Amino acid sequence: MKKIVLNSSLILLLFLFSAFSFHKFYVGVYQVDYVPEKRMLQITSRIFIDDLNDAIEKKYKLKTNVGTEKETAADVTLLKKYLSENFLVKVNGQSKAIVFVSKETEDQNVVVCYTKITDVTKIKALEVSNTLLIDWNREQQNITHFLINGTKKTVLFTESSRKEVLKY
């Protein structure tokens, strides 16, 4: 009898905990790597497709299908524009243009964007502003990992923390 009560209690607890775990979370993951031999910053962005399309639609008042079978060239153009306006980088105090390289879909729900910044000779300070999806959703969190000059750092960008200066 004790065993039945214990098992029933465990099953009930598991059910209660799993019921609360279905809440949607809003997170993007970014990786910024400095490749000195190429004099380049390489940036990889992983963003949920549905959230990205919602944010682009809200900002530009146009329906998009980035990362889906219905994606058009116009959708990719808006994606590039959105990325360039919401992920800003200054190297040693100078604004740098981010060049879109390519993108792919991962697990049918994440779009992975590859971008780069060229002609970077030495990094002493890196100022990054990452507001992707934050204007669309106040709960959005952008976890951004940096590997610069052999040093790993991680920054969490949120509605209240949109910009960070990293010293090297």
Side-chain angles (χ1 to χ4, degrees), residues 7-154:
N7 285 340
S8 298
S9 297
L10 286 174
I11 290 171
L12 180 61
L13 280 173
L14 285 172
F15 174 75
L16 288 174
F17 285 126
S18 67
F20 292 111
S21 69
F22 290 112
H23 183 268
K24 184 167 170 127
F25 60 96
Y26 301 96
V27 66
V29 179
Y30 306 83
Q31 179 69 44
V32 180
D33 294 324
Y34 177 50
V35 185
E37 58 273 8
K38 293 184 178 181
R39 297 174 34 165
M40 177 188 310
L41 278 170
Q42 296 176 334
I43 305 162
T44 304
S45 308
R46 285 183 165 72
I47 309 164
F48 284 109
I49 291 171
D50 57 342
D51 297 341
L52 179 61
N53 283 306
D54 289 344
I56 292 172
E57 181 177 345
K58 180 180 179 185
K59 183 163 185 158
Y60 303 114
K61 310 290 188 246
L62 294 168
K63 176 87 173 128
T64 60
N65 294 293
V66 173
T68 72
E69 298 124 12
K70 297 178 183 178
E71 178 183 274
T72 65
D75 293 336
V76 176
T77 299
L78 279 177
L79 168 65
K80 291 175 185 179
K81 181 178 181 180
Y82 185 73
L83 289 172
S84 70
E85 291 176 355
N86 291 280
F87 197 98
L88 307 172
V89 176
K90 287 184 180 179
V91 177
N92 304 327
Q94 292 187 310
S95 292
K96 294 290 189 174
I98 296 178
V99 177
F100 184 85
V101 177
S102 66
K103 66 163 197 52
E104 63 183 337
T105 302
E106 186 175 84
D107 298 329
Q108 297 183 343
N109 59 2
V110 173
V111 66
V112 182
C113 299
Y114 302 98
T115 56
K116 65 181 179 179
I117 297 172
T118 58
D119 199 29
V120 179
T121 53
K122 187 173 183 181
I123 299 176
K124 294 179 184 175
L126 193 66
E127 182 179 317
V128 177
S129 174
N130 184 346
T131 59
L132 287 156
L133 307 185
I134 290 174
D135 289 332
W136 167 74
N137 184 345
R138 295 171 39 172
E139 294 178 36
Q140 178 68 30
Q141 297 182 0
N142 293 328
I143 301 166
T144 308
H145 303 288
F146 297 88
L147 180 56
I148 311 292
N149 300 331
T151 302
K152 294 180 184 181
K153 295 182 181 182
T154 298

